[in-house]
Amino acid sequence: MTDGARATTRPGRTPREVATHCPYCALQCGMTLREEAGRVAVLPRQFPTNRGGLCQKGWTAAELLDHPERLTTPLLRDPDTGRLRPASWDAALDRIVAGIRAVQDGHGRDAVAVFGGGGLTNEKAYALGRFARVALRTRHIDYNGRFCMSSAAAAGMRAFGVDRGLPFPLADLGRADTLLLVGANPAETMPPLVRWLTEQRERGGRLIVVDPRVTATARQADLHLQPLPGTDLAVANALLHIALTEGWVDRDYVSARTTGFETVRRSVAGWWPARAEALSGVPVADLEATARALGTAERVIILTARGAEQHAKGVDTVTGFVNLALALGLPGRPGSGYGCLTGQGNGQGGREHGQKADQLPGYRRIDDPAAREHVAGVWGVPADELPGPGVPAYQLLDSLGTPAGPKALLVFGSNPVVSAPRAARVEGRLRDLDLLVVADLLLSETAALADVVLPTAEWAEEDGTMTNLEGRVLRRRALRPPPAGVRTDLAILAALTARLQAQGRAPSYRILHRKGPFLAPSPGRVGAVDGSDPRAVFEELRRASAGGIADYAGVSWERIDERDGVFWPCPAEDGPDTPRLFADRFATPDGRARFHPVEHRPAAEEVCAEYPLHFTTGRVLAQYQSGTQTRRVDALRRAAPDAFVELHPDLAARLGIGDGAPVRVISRRGELRAPARLSTAIRPDTVFAPFHWGGAARANSVTNDAVDPVSGMPEFKICAVRLERVDEP
Ligand code: SF4
């Protein structure tokens, strides 16, 4: 039986329960799964982050386990009919390996690429990186987390020397005197987190929200700043300007714990509040009230999320708020700090262990010779045989099938046909491939294009670890095995590796057989050391991450089970973990945080006579990411059945559009069609659409593929569009 699971016996039935976490977002709410008479129910579970609460997505997560559309056999595209047809695992794996051989023989190792996801467990993310670098020996691997919070990650790395979403436990939010949320809407994206906001306000704290829309979170705020999309950086610089003018900068902290302040002080000198108001539309009085609430309170937390990050200047925008936090002396001060709300379920752990183009496990850089030596040593291969850095996600997707780009792609846990910017172009690139392989539990829009589809296990059918938005490593526990015909991602990677090795295409690296300081035998699992056992993979991950920024060496499954997770870095099993970072020093060589001067610049695409409106995207409460799973859950489909285009009634009146009328949103890259939804929650110069749907309602048909030059994050949150009523039937 899985750790954390228990079975009780009653006459005629054997209910089984397991303590695990929600499969969806980065809050990773604790839940109990109970199986009785073949039915699986979700029960609340007390856990420090959600305290028994779940949102509608969590409550209904088990519905997909026995969903009629679940994939239970591999599918191969028939060359005669062009259709996908059921196939055996042997036939599917043989087809993949033959395709990899043909592509690499003809075009070189880098002609095969791998695309992962921020929802994969740590073990899968790690194994995927190892598979790409060692079995395929390609430099081309990246993942959809690049679309999620890579800008905050890059800003955190350059300021603090480490990237952990929240460098403090979530509970600190409830004790903040002032809490500033920038581009975050947790009331819809992670509702149980709102309990902390409620607690904060009940203690007399002030909640200030910066968002172009009057979101469910903004409605709860004491003060809502509603800037024009793409102007958050001007707001940040103006807030720091006011703090300097009013003498709220913590000079002792700045001089003892940071470097580079003087250049930032000079750079914000010109950011008079009136200038920021002219650019962003946020009244000077609101900027001043916000600066005062931040500058005069004892415990202050500043959080950013996708609204601030998903821009071609996302790294600089986040840096603007990091500069503000450092100037006020927040990071490392008890009850205060800067943090980022991660989005995807394993958005944090997924970017720490090697599925990012420039990374090796433990948040090591792949171009660092010492890091390569360490990880190659764990993998049992020469360091000089590891490939170098690849390219960020959108650049990779946009190169597929081109003369210089990869000709084959293996996709795990991602649906870029819906989630990538300028999605019609990405869809075309995928169609140009010689070989597209997709591993998924349902036939996503991307899987529907594939040459080979591999059915994978769901979250309740596998063990592993996830790392939540606090950097807390958690245990995912299996309730039951996958259905017949379905394999875990780890088993798929192990089978592909074995085939490549048998054909002499991949070196032997069955390192999982080796006993090391961390690899204690796991009762009942000792036979499964071919790479498909998550416990064995995690033990190897610990070795590979040891000494890195994200050091998991001291994190054992037993230790996670004994407490409510383990916070990284945790270098020794008999040493402490790290719920709070930066108490004494930052993770930079000299221990000081870095200021960086950042200047506002316009969006990559500005409005004009032909495209006079701003377009922005986001989420709704009852759907998740590209909707592959949540669009198939009855209760969620009833709650949020279709896409929509949100626009202000004044704009609707000007264009002659009634509530519910079909409209077209058109950009230079494409269009989406959906019913209009009139709302005063949005600015009259901006329209919004959720990104959970494909087909004609695909928001990413419209979005801009301009990317941040540092993080590679696409500019999902702003582009120029025009809006038209659809008159034809
Ligand atoms: S808030 Fe996130 S983790 Fe919690 S139940 Fe909802 S989707 Fe799941």
Side-chain angles (χ1 to χ4, degrees):
M1 181 179 298
T2 313
D3 296 335
R6 66 187 163 85
T8 53
T9 306
R10 288 188 208 158
R13 62 175 85 160
T14 309
R16 180 181 168 82
E17 286 186 7
V18 69
T20 189
H21 297 267
C22 175
Y24 296 119
C25 84
L27 196 55
Q28 283 296 287
C29 295
M31 61 169 55
T32 298
L33 296 180
R34 181 181 175 88
E35 183 177 38
E36 190 165 9
R39 290 182 56 83
V40 178
V42 173
L43 307 173
R45 179 162 80 91
Q46 285 299 323
F47 194 75
T49 50
N50 61 311
R51 297 190 290 190
L54 294 170
C55 78
Q56 198 177 8
K57 298 187 285 289
W59 285 119
T60 56
E63 196 178 304
L64 288 173
L65 289 169
D66 298 308
H67 197 279
E69 291 180 53
R70 180 96 191 260
L71 297 172
T72 55
T73 182
L75 303 174
L76 280 182
R77 192 162 300 281
D78 187 309
D80 297 326
T81 66
R83 296 199 171 144
L84 289 170
R85 57 170 171 73
S88 69
W89 273 98
D90 277 339
L93 295 171
D94 286 346
R95 167 78 182 87
I96 296 168
V97 171
I100 289 171
R101 288 189 64 151
V103 164
Q104 290 194 322
D105 286 347
H107 306 279
R109 293 273 184 184
D110 290 340
V112 175
V114 177
F115 199 78
L120 301 178
T121 61
N122 290 321
E123 292 77 6
K124 294 182 196 176
Y126 171 84
L128 203 58
R130 186 186 55 184
F131 175 73
R133 272 66 178 252
V134 184
L136 298 176
R137 286 177 61 187
T138 176
R139 70 186 179 99
H140 284 309
I141 176 169
D142 211 58
Y143 79 128
N144 66 16
R146 188 73 73 167
F147 301 158
C148 186
M149 56 167 291
S150 56
S151 287
M157 287 300 288
R158 75 181 185 183
F160 308 126
V162 68
D163 154 37
R164 201 179 89 182
L166 296 183
F168 44 75
L170 195 66
D172 282 14
L173 301 188
R175 294 190 281 272
D177 299 317
T178 297
L179 179 54
L180 178 68
L181 290 182
V182 186
N185 182 17
E188 291 204 73
T189 57
M190 38 183 72
L193 186 147
V194 173
R195 291 170 173 223
W196 300 106
L197 307 187
T198 304
E199 183 177 313
Q200 185 248 353
R201 295 185 65 224
E202 285 174 353
R203 286 172 182 248
R206 281 173 67 80
L207 173 65
I208 304 174
V209 170
V210 181
D211 201 305
R213 299 168 64 223
V214 188
T215 61
T217 310
R219 277 193 284 277
Q220 299 179 27
D222 298 288
L223 181 58
H224 174 209
L225 314 186
Q226 196 174 3
L228 185 71
T231 61
D232 293 337
L233 177 49
V235 170
N237 281 347
L239 293 174
L240 181 50
H241 176 102
I242 298 167
L244 273 158
T245 308
E246 297 293 330
W248 292 323
V249 169
D250 186 337
R251 298 278 179 181
D252 292 341
Y253 177 98
V254 167
S255 99
R257 302 211 53 191
T258 71
T259 62
F261 177 67
E262 191 51 31
T263 50
V264 168
R265 188 193 65 73
R266 283 198 297 271
S267 75
V268 300
W271 278 100
W272 300 97
R275 182 181 169 202
E277 176 181 324
L279 201 74
S280 68
V282 178
V284 167
D286 287 351
L287 291 168
E288 290 175 343
T290 302
R292 178 171 295 103
L294 295 168
T296 60
E298 178 62 26
R299 292 175 302 243
V300 176
I301 291 177
I302 299 174
L303 299 179
T304 62
R306 303 305 84 72
E309 297 156 14
Q310 289 179 326
H311 294 272
K313 58 176 178 298
V315 176
D316 284 354
T317 298
V318 173
T319 299
F321 287 97
V322 169
N323 285 341
L324 178 63
L326 288 171
L328 298 174
L330 308 181
R333 201 166 87 200
S336 294
Y338 160 80
C340 158
L341 293 176
T342 313
Q344 294 193 75
N346 200 27
Q348 182 68 52
R351 66 178 183 272
E352 296 166 356
H353 298 298
Q355 62 174 334
K356 227 173 149 185
D358 54 356
Q359 269 181 13
L360 289 173
Y363 224 124
R364 290 180 155 91
R365 291 185 60 92
I366 201 168
D367 57 2
D368 173 0
R372 293 169 66 86
E373 279 295 335
H374 172 83
V375 175
V378 174
W379 288 345
V381 297
D384 59 8
E385 288 187 7
L386 294 181
V391 296
Y394 184 74
Q395 196 179 335
L396 173 61
L397 293 173
D398 194 31
S399 70
L400 297 174
T402 62
K407 309 292 184 289
L409 180 73
L410 284 71
V411 180
F412 289 79
S414 189
N415 186 14
V417 167
V418 175
S419 64
R422 201 173 189 177
R425 180 172 166 125
V426 169
E427 188 175 332
R429 297 284 192 240
L430 292 168
R431 290 182 191 277
D432 287 343
L433 287 166
D434 293 354
L435 175 68
L436 174 61
V437 179
V438 177
D440 210 326
L441 48 117
L442 295 153
L443 195 69
S444 69
E445 286 80 355
T446 305
L449 300 182
D451 300 294
V452 186
V453 181
L454 303 175
T456 61
E458 289 201 35
W459 105 110
E461 299 158 355
E462 61 183 11
D463 287 308
T465 60
M466 304 280 279
T467 304
N468 79 350
L469 77 177
E470 307 165 286
R472 187 196 301 250
V473 189
L474 310 165
R475 284 268 281 111
R476 169 179 285 189
R477 300 181 178 93
L479 177 74
R480 62 188 197 185
V486 171
R487 296 189 184 181
T488 65
D489 291 320
L490 289 180
I492 292 169
L493 292 173
L496 287 173
T497 301
R499 271 176 160 73
L500 289 166
Q501 288 173 334
Q503 297 183 22
R505 304 289 300 186
S508 176
Y509 61 102
R510 291 180 179 238
I511 191 73
L512 293 165
H513 284 295
R514 293 186 183 175
K515 298 256 188 322
F518 309 114
L519 187 54
S522 176
R525 300 172 188 277
V526 288
V529 287
D530 61 353
S532 63
D533 176 14
R535 172 62 183 261
V537 174
F538 186 76
E539 295 300 325
E540 187 186 294
L541 180 159
R542 292 173 64 188
R543 294 160 55 102
S545 76
I549 291 172
D551 191 334
Y552 282 44
V555 185
S556 68
W557 282 19
E558 288 77 14
R559 201 170 176 189
I560 298 172
D561 292 341
E562 283 162 14
R563 28 207 293 188
D564 290 321
V566 178
F567 291 85
W568 70 259
C570 181
E573 207 161 345
D574 56 358
D577 65 343
T578 318
R580 288 184 176 77
L581 295 169
F582 315 145
D584 305 313
R585 58 178 285 120
F586 294 95
T588 54
D590 62 3
R592 290 168 174 258
R594 307 273 192 264
F595 279 98
H596 290 271
V598 283
E599 272 301 324
H600 169 80
R601 55 186 185 274
E605 183 179 71
E606 295 194 90
V607 295
C608 61
E610 193 178 355
Y611 301 100
L613 296 167
H614 303 286
F615 177 67
T616 191
T617 64
R619 290 164 58 175
V620 298
L621 175 63
Q623 296 291 344
Y624 180 70
Q625 300 301 79
S626 72
T628 304
Q629 296 175 62
T630 50
R631 280 187 271 128
R632 289 173 166 91
V633 174
D634 281 345
L636 302 179
R637 199 168 52 221
R638 282 196 299 275
D642 293 306
F644 57 89
V645 174
E646 184 179 278
L647 68 155
H648 195 279
D650 292 351
L651 175 63
R654 190 154 54 81
L655 298 177
I657 294 170
D659 195 30
V663 294
R664 263 200 314 233
V665 179
I666 305 164
S667 76
R668 289 181 176 86
R669 294 154 295 281
E671 68 173 55
L672 81 91
R673 289 180 182 220
R677 182 177 290 180
L678 273 50
S679 170
T680 54
I682 192 158
R683 298 168 54 104
D685 56 7
T686 302
V687 293
F688 165 89
F691 55 63
H692 309 293
W693 284 269
R698 181 171 63 185
N700 279 316
S701 295
V702 173
T703 50
N704 195 350
D705 56 352
V707 298
D708 185 287
V710 176
S711 68
M713 166 85 86
E715 187 149 83
F716 289 105
K717 283 291 188 270
I718 184 169
C719 69
V721 299
R722 69 172 182 271
L723 188 61
E724 291 179 356
R725 202 175 58 193
V726 179
D727 288 325
E728 68 263 34

Coordinates of all heavy atoms in Angstrom, one line a residue, residues 175-180 200 205-208 290 292-302 335:
R175 N -1.0 37.7 8.0 CA -0.5 38.6 9.1 C 0.1 39.9 8.5 O 0.6 40.7 9.3 CB 0.6 37.9 9.9 CG 0.0 36.7 10.7 CD 1.0 36.1 11.6 NE 2.0 35.3 11.0 CZ 1.8 33.9 10.8 NH1 0.7 33.4 11.2 NH2 2.7 33.2 10.2
A176 N 0.0 40.1 7.2 CA 0.6 41.3 6.7 C -0.3 42.5 7.0 O -1.5 42.5 6.9 CB 0.7 41.2 5.1
D177 N 0.3 43.6 7.3 CA -0.4 44.9 7.5 C -0.9 45.5 6.2 O -2.0 46.0 6.1 CB 0.4 45.9 8.3 CG 0.8 45.3 9.7 OD1 -0.1 44.8 10.3 OD2 2.0 45.5 10.1
T178 N 0.0 45.4 5.2 CA -0.3 45.8 3.9 C 0.1 44.7 2.9 O 1.2 44.2 2.9 CB 0.4 47.1 3.5 OG1 0.0 48.2 4.3 CG2 0.1 47.5 2.0
L179 N -0.9 44.4 2.0 CA -0.6 43.3 1.0 C -0.9 43.9 -0.3 O -2.1 44.4 -0.6 CB -1.5 42.1 1.3 CG -1.5 40.9 0.4 CD1 0.0 40.4 0.3 CD2 -2.4 39.8 0.9
L180 N 0.1 44.0 -1.2 CA -0.1 44.5 -2.6 C -0.1 43.3 -3.6 O 0.9 42.6 -3.7 CB 1.0 45.5 -2.9 CG 1.0 46.1 -4.3 CD1 -0.2 47.0 -4.5 CD2 2.3 46.9 -4.6
Q200 N -6.3 38.4 6.7 CA -5.4 39.6 6.8 C -6.3 40.9 7.0 O -5.9 41.7 7.8 CB -4.7 39.7 5.4 CG -3.7 40.9 5.3 CD -4.1 42.0 4.3 OE1 -5.0 41.9 3.6 NE2 -3.3 43.1 4.4
G205 N -5.6 44.6 8.3 CA -4.6 44.8 7.2 C -5.3 45.5 6.0 O -6.5 45.4 5.9
R206 N -4.5 46.0 5.2 CA -5.0 46.7 3.9 C -4.6 45.8 2.8 O -3.5 45.4 2.6 CB -4.4 48.1 3.8 CG -5.1 49.1 4.6 CD -4.4 50.4 4.5 NE -4.5 51.1 3.2 CZ -5.5 51.7 2.7 NH1 -6.6 51.9 3.5 NH2 -5.6 52.3 1.5
L207 N -5.6 45.6 1.9 CA -5.4 44.8 0.6 C -5.5 45.8 -0.5 O -6.5 46.5 -0.7 CB -6.4 43.7 0.5 CG -6.3 42.9 -0.8 CD1 -5.0 42.2 -1.0 CD2 -7.5 42.0 -0.9
I208 N -4.4 45.9 -1.3 CA -4.4 46.7 -2.5 C -4.1 45.8 -3.7 O -3.2 45.0 -3.7 CB -3.3 47.8 -2.4 CG1 -3.5 48.6 -1.1 CG2 -3.3 48.7 -3.6 CD1 -2.4 49.6 -0.8
T290 N -1.2 54.2 -2.0 CA -0.6 52.9 -2.1 C 0.8 53.0 -1.5 O 1.2 52.2 -0.7 CB -0.5 52.4 -3.5 OG1 -1.9 52.3 -4.0 CG2 0.1 51.0 -3.6
R292 N 2.0 55.1 0.6 CA 1.9 55.3 2.0 C 1.6 54.0 2.8 O 2.2 53.7 3.8 CB 0.9 56.4 2.4 CG 0.7 56.6 3.9 CD -0.2 57.8 4.2 NE 0.4 59.1 3.7 CZ 0.0 59.7 2.6 NH1 -1.0 59.2 1.9 NH2 0.6 60.8 2.2
A293 N 0.7 53.3 2.2 CA 0.3 52.0 2.9 C 1.5 51.0 2.9 O 1.7 50.2 3.8 CB -0.9 51.4 2.2
L294 N 2.3 51.1 1.9 CA 3.5 50.2 1.8 C 4.6 50.8 2.7 O 5.3 50.0 3.3 CB 4.0 50.1 0.3 CG 3.1 49.4 -0.7 CD1 3.6 49.6 -2.1 CD2 3.0 47.9 -0.4
G295 N 4.8 52.1 2.6 CA 6.0 52.7 3.3 C 5.9 52.9 4.8 O 6.9 53.1 5.4
T296 N 4.6 52.9 5.3 CA 4.5 53.2 6.7 C 4.0 52.0 7.5 O 3.9 52.1 8.8 CB 3.5 54.3 6.9 OG1 2.2 53.9 6.4 CG2 3.9 55.6 6.2
A297 N 3.7 50.9 6.9 CA 3.3 49.7 7.7 C 4.4 48.9 8.2 O 5.6 49.0 7.6 CB 2.4 48.8 6.8
E298 N 4.2 48.1 9.2 CA 5.3 47.2 9.8 C 5.5 46.0 8.9 O 6.6 45.7 8.5 CB 4.8 46.8 11.2 CG 5.8 45.9 11.9 CD 7.2 46.6 12.1 OE1 7.2 47.8 12.2 OE2 8.2 45.8 12.2
R299 N 4.5 45.2 8.6 CA 4.6 44.0 7.9 C 4.0 44.2 6.5 O 2.7 44.4 6.4 CB 4.0 42.8 8.6 CG 4.7 42.4 9.9 CD 3.9 41.4 10.6 NE 2.6 41.9 10.9 CZ 2.1 42.0 12.1 NH1 2.8 41.7 13.1 NH2 0.9 42.5 12.3
V300 N 4.8 44.1 5.5 CA 4.3 44.4 4.1 C 4.7 43.3 3.2 O 5.9 42.9 3.2 CB 4.9 45.8 3.6 CG1 4.5 46.0 2.2 CG2 4.5 46.9 4.5
I301 N 3.8 42.8 2.4 CA 4.1 41.8 1.3 C 3.7 42.3 0.0 O 2.6 42.8 -0.2 CB 3.4 40.5 1.7 CG1 4.1 39.9 2.9 CG2 3.6 39.5 0.5 CD1 3.4 38.6 3.4
I302 N 4.6 42.2 -1.0 CA 4.2 42.5 -2.4 C 4.3 41.2 -3.2 O 5.3 40.5 -3.2 CB 5.3 43.5 -3.0 CG1 5.2 44.8 -2.2 CG2 5.0 43.8 -4.4 CD1 6.3 45.9 -2.6
G335 N 7.5 38.4 8.4 CA 6.2 38.8 8.1 C 6.1 39.7 6.9 O 5.0 40.1 6.5

